[in-house]
Amino acid sequence: MEPVRRVLVVEDEPALADLARMYLERDGFVVDLARDVATAEAVAARTPPHVVLLDIGLPGGRDGVDLCRAMRARGDWTPVILVTARDDEVDRVIGLELGADDYVTKPYSPRELVARVKAVLRRSAGGPAHRQSPDEPPLQVGRVRLDLGRRLVWVDEKPVELTTTEFDLLAHLMRRPGRVFPRGELLSQVWDYPSDDATRTVDVHVAQVRAKLGDASPIRTVRGVGYAADDRGRTA
């Protein structure tokens, strides 16, 4: 018997909330709905979700950014997929800085939404592409060191906190230092998304990892191709 997979959909537009619920329930998910932050927090306290679909624009004085910030501040690392009506990089970056795992922009395909939920759950559960052996030795590129078994990151000797997705992206690059990974390959291997997905998911997450690692970041941009990790670092 498959375990229950529970999704909390925080959306104030009833038609969109019902559409998301219908498609998720068709795929076997249990779905809870909330239209504002206060209701979402009450529902999550009663029945903790495995993933949260979180609209940025919400009524009641607190928005999706506030909820994501509050979750991470109390140490709740339940995967969060932000949903925004604005295709604005500022919104995406703010959400990812707060620890969101992914984002989708309205209008979205319900099937794509379900695929994103599944991919985030696979990553958070340590699916085959993201699972590390406890005995796998740490990775070191330049000043950055990763402990794959414990999922810890240091710059020099200072710990750095990365989200699940950020860690998986950095680990994937650092496992093969110097090897250039096209964006499509990273989408497929790290996110479990189709390699022809047209979103800027990879670029936004790379920007966030670089921001957290500062001038020690080993991630190098190869124009027109993708990204690599090596001691030459960034060339944007």
Side-chain angles (χ1 to χ4, degrees), residues 80-143:
V80 172
I81 300 175
L82 291 177
V83 181
T84 176
R86 297 163 291 181
D87 189 14
D88 188 335
E89 186 168 350
V90 172
D91 290 333
R92 298 195 298 264
V93 169
I94 289 173
L96 293 171
E97 284 178 344
L98 293 172
D101 296 86
D102 202 358
Y103 64 88
V104 292
T105 304
K106 297 178 185 177
Y108 53 74
S109 158
R111 291 186 177 86
E112 178 194 359
L113 196 67
V114 173
R116 294 284 179 106
V117 170
K118 288 180 175 180
V120 165
L121 286 173
R122 282 195 297 272
R123 294 200 301 273
S124 65
H130 316 290
R131 188 174 297 133
Q132 292 101 23
S133 165
D135 300 324
E136 194 168 355
L139 301 176
Q140 179 102 31
V141 176
R143 295 161 53 199

Side-chain angles (χ1 to χ4, degrees), residues 105-173:
T105 304
K106 297 178 185 177
Y108 53 74
S109 158
R111 291 186 177 86
E112 178 194 359
L113 196 67
V114 173
R116 294 284 179 106
V117 170
K118 288 180 175 180
V120 165
L121 286 173
R122 282 195 297 272
R123 294 200 301 273
S124 65
H130 316 290
R131 188 174 297 133
Q132 292 101 23
S133 165
D135 300 324
E136 194 168 355
L139 301 176
Q140 179 102 31
V141 176
R143 295 161 53 199
V144 177
R145 180 164 58 94
L146 267 69
D147 185 321
L148 293 159
R150 294 186 294 165
R151 297 183 67 85
L152 298 174
V153 184
W154 296 268
V155 170
D156 300 325
E157 295 303 318
K158 182 179 179 181
V160 178
E161 189 172 88
L162 299 182
T163 68
T164 297
T165 305
E166 290 165 355
F167 184 94
D168 289 338
L169 172 62
L170 184 60
H172 194 80
L173 293 169

